[in-house]
Amino acid sequence: MVLASSLSGCEVMTTEGKELGTVESMTMDPRTGALQFLRLGPHNGGGSGFHRIENGQLLIPADHIEAKQDYLLVRPPR
């Protein structure tokens, strides 16, 4: 289990090895406290199919998180 508070500032990479950026903030469900999305800072690279919002942040759904090692590993969308 990974605590949401330990994710802030983590570098994020897909399980295929593409660097996506750094976790700037997170979105939580106010009723359950469950993590919904990671918000990554603007990055020069592509988003590997993830949604980018108007301020340039990349949104990573929490259910795509695979592991936390040297990087936070996320599964790319299919």
Side-chain angles (χ1 to χ4, degrees):
M1 180 161 121
V2 176
L3 296 176
S5 62
S6 72
L7 300 178
S8 185
C10 282
E11 294 291 326
V12 180
M13 178 184 290
T14 68
T15 53
E16 297 169 345
K18 180 165 178 77
E19 291 185 26
L20 297 177
T22 304
V23 177
E24 285 191 346
S25 63
M26 291 153 273
T27 303
M28 311 290 271
D29 182 318
R31 290 176 289 125
T32 66
L35 180 63
Q36 292 180 317
F37 292 95
L38 300 174
R39 291 173 172 246
L40 307 187
H43 190 269
N44 294 340
S48 290
F50 290 109
H51 181 70
R52 190 172 300 277
I53 58 177
E54 64 278 351
N55 66 359
Q57 287 182 321
L58 198 61
L59 292 180
I60 309 293
D63 63 356
H64 283 252
I65 298 171
E66 292 289 322
K68 184 174 186 249
Q69 298 171 357
D70 292 336
Y71 284 83
L72 184 62
L73 298 175
V74 296
R75 180 178 73 255
R78 302 273 174 223

